[in-house]
Amino acid sequence: MDDWRSDLGPLALAATPGVRDVCVDGAGAVWTDTGSGFVRSFLTLSPSEVRHIGVLLVERGGGRVDDAMPIGDAALAGRARVHVVLPPVARQGPLLSIRLPNEHAIPLSEFAYARDTHRDACVLGSVLISGVTGSGKTTLASALIASRPANSRIVIVEDIAELDPPHPHCVHLTSRHPNPDGGGAIGLGHLVKEALRMRPDSLVVGEIRGAEFSEFLLALTAGHHGISTVHARRLSDVAERMTVLGLTAGFPLPAIAPLVVAAVPLIAHCTRSPHGVQVEVGRTVDDDGKLRVIPL
């Protein structure tokens, strides 16, 4: 058992094989999800137990959570992710959310594509992976990274370290939050710039959420292969999401569509079903200055 798992305490009883998420609500009820939706477990923890476990896990991951800073998150062993919210921000009681790692890497053959050519296109080209939380975005990203040639150098940039692909040459950069004095922060945008100095054959940004979008797009239009993820409910929503991100990053509206089409020609949208992760692939197009995504 990994060392950090011993810090789960009684929650280890809920973190059984196949469980991807363990969440504790304000009443101390423990909920688990294997990918088919949350199910109430037999466990109920006291507020002091939830707080103790949450603080311990965040501190193990190098983060901080206490009364002065009641919200904290961290990555454990570069894999599992922990998020804690303490009262009074959490109204009923401390909240704890844990995303557990896949015990085994999932190969590309286990993802459901409409056509094999869609899978091949995602392997060969730069791709943006979309979907809602828990839809399989990170799992697909890991599988695509693992499919890169063994002599390729992969540089992975993340806000919270989650990706741990089975590839022989991956290096990882993780952002840093400000210290208690408000200094020392290192953001994703800065790390993307640094990653380009590290001779990447593939640049992977764990999740695009803000200004780092500009650095990622500019890197890909300069010829780098890239993979990233973005939150979107449907494939048809991705174009609007990327347009908003482009505006947030400071691009003028007319520049966004041609830049995105040149950088990330493919979108792979993940939807989790009882049969696994379904992947719908679309192509980005510039429709008279408006960004669109057309299903393939």
Side-chain angles (χ1 to χ4, degrees):
M1 178 180 288
D2 293 337
D3 288 342
W4 62 265
R5 287 184 177 268
S6 62
D7 294 336
L8 292 173
L11 284 182
L13 297 174
T16 56
V19 171
R20 293 302 314 283
D21 292 276
V22 177
C23 295
V24 185
D25 64 23
V30 179
W31 299 77
T32 62
D33 184 11
T34 59
S36 301
F38 279 98
V39 176
R40 173 74 164 86
S41 80
F42 62 91
L43 286 172
T44 301
L45 305 184
S46 69
S48 60
E49 286 179 305
V50 179
R51 179 181 178 119
H52 175 75
I53 294 170
V55 170
L56 189 64
L57 291 173
V58 169
E59 288 181 347
R60 175 179 276 272
R64 173 192 171 192
V65 59
D66 52 32
D67 290 337
M69 188 177 292
I71 301 175
D73 59 6
L76 303 175
R79 300 170 70 201
R81 181 170 180 168
V82 178
H83 185 266
V84 180
V85 185
L86 301 179
V89 178
R91 188 178 66 180
Q92 294 175 296
L95 303 175
L96 176 58
S97 305
I98 304 172
R99 166 61 60 87
L100 297 168
N102 278 318
E103 296 297 332
H104 305 287
I106 299 177
L108 282 174
S109 59
E110 293 192 19
F111 292 86
Y113 291 82
R115 297 182 181 87
D116 288 345
T117 54
H118 292 177
R119 179 192 63 230
D120 297 340
C122 290
V123 169
L124 294 173
S126 293
V127 62
L128 188 67
I129 304 169
S130 62
V132 300
T133 300
S135 60
K137 300 188 300 299
T138 301
T139 305
L140 177 58
S142 291
L144 288 173
I145 295 168
S147 73
R148 303 300 298 168
N151 61 354
S152 295
R153 177 173 168 86
I154 315 295
V155 180
I156 299 174
V157 178
E158 297 179 277
D159 190 31
I160 294 291
E162 291 185 283
L163 287 166
D164 188 24
H167 187 281
H169 194 180
C170 288
V171 295
H172 300 260
L173 301 175
T174 307
S175 65
R176 187 172 70 184
H177 296 295
N179 59 33
D181 296 325
I186 301 176
L188 284 183
H190 184 180
L191 290 181
V192 172
K193 290 180 181 179
E194 295 301 322
L196 297 179
R197 300 185 176 102
M198 298 171 65
R199 177 46 178 84
D201 291 304
S202 292
L203 172 64
V204 179
V205 178
E207 181 183 342
I208 294 291
R209 291 183 297 181
E212 68 277 359
F213 191 46
S214 63
E215 303 298 335
F216 181 69
L217 290 183
L218 293 173
L220 268 56
T221 55
H224 293 277
H225 173 269
I227 298 171
S228 189
T229 72
V230 66
H231 279 271
R233 185 170 296 277
R234 296 178 295 271
L235 182 65
S236 59
D237 295 337
V238 176
E240 181 178 355
R241 176 72 172 149
M242 285 193 289
T243 300
V244 171
L245 287 170
L247 292 171
T248 302
F251 289 116
L253 183 59
I256 295 174
L259 188 57
V260 170
V261 171
V264 278
L266 292 176
I267 308 296
H269 185 76
C270 296
T271 306
R272 190 173 290 277
S273 75
H275 306 292
V277 178
Q278 310 289 320
V279 182
E280 183 182 7
V281 179
R283 177 168 57 92
T284 58
V285 297
D286 179 359
D287 185 5
D288 291 330
K290 182 177 181 180
L291 183 63
R292 294 177 57 207
V293 177
I294 300 175
L296 294 181

